[in-house]
Amino acid sequence: MARALSNPQVLYDEELAVGQGGWQSRGFTLPTARPIQVVAEGRRNTDKGFTVYVMKTDELEHFRSRVTFQHIPALQGLKIRSFTSTATLPAGAWTVVVQNSENLLRTMVVHLRVVSDPA
């Protein structure tokens, strides 16, 4: 018996303005384990790169406090200008973080797209 395919669901599709040395986050909740695709494309002032993390939402406080935090390595991009990755996440509350880790002079703009059950 073939497994029914889920339809892709766009969780986020927006441009984020990330200030000098700052970060933006977007959260989502999964009722069951699901494949998640994260796409981040630099739009402006990203020539030095940016960083993307996906973590359980309760790890966000550790990230915010600049202490060791747990994240999903398969959904991590360091010093990147563009990023596309897919991984299956278990049920629970999750957060995507886009960090302006490299451009200390200008606000950067990054287009973030997060899709559950990508085609």
Side-chain angles (χ1 to χ4, degrees):
M1 176 184 258
R3 186 180 123 169
L5 296 176
S6 297
N7 290 328
Q9 178 184 3
V10 177
L11 304 174
Y12 290 99
D13 190 1
E14 63 183 288
E15 289 197 347
L16 306 176
V18 186
Q20 304 91 319
W23 53 277
Q24 291 271 347
S25 65
R26 298 296 184 264
F28 59 93
T29 302
L30 300 176
T32 61
R34 291 266 190 257
I36 298 295
Q37 181 181 59
V38 176
V39 179
E41 293 287 335
R43 296 285 195 228
R44 194 168 56 230
N45 300 322
T46 59
D47 54 311
K48 294 180 182 179
F50 57 91
T51 299
V52 174
Y53 297 108
V54 175
M55 63 190 76
K56 287 191 172 253
T57 298
D58 58 4
E59 288 293 318
L60 188 59
E61 188 56 41
H62 294 147
F63 175 83
R64 183 179 287 127
S65 300
R66 299 178 187 224
V67 297
T68 302
F69 62 94
Q70 301 284 325
H71 62 282
I72 306 300
L75 294 174
Q76 169 190 296
L78 302 173
K79 295 183 182 181
I80 54 171
R81 289 191 211 172
S82 68
F83 174 81
T84 301
S85 188
T86 304
T88 298
L89 299 178
W94 295 92
T95 299
V96 179
V97 174
V98 177
Q99 182 181 29
N100 182 346
S101 56
E102 302 303 315
N103 191 334
L104 302 177
L105 300 175
R106 296 181 157 171
T107 295
M108 62 176 52
V109 176
V110 176
H111 183 239
L112 176 66
R113 182 173 168 88
V114 181
V115 179
S116 172
D117 301 307

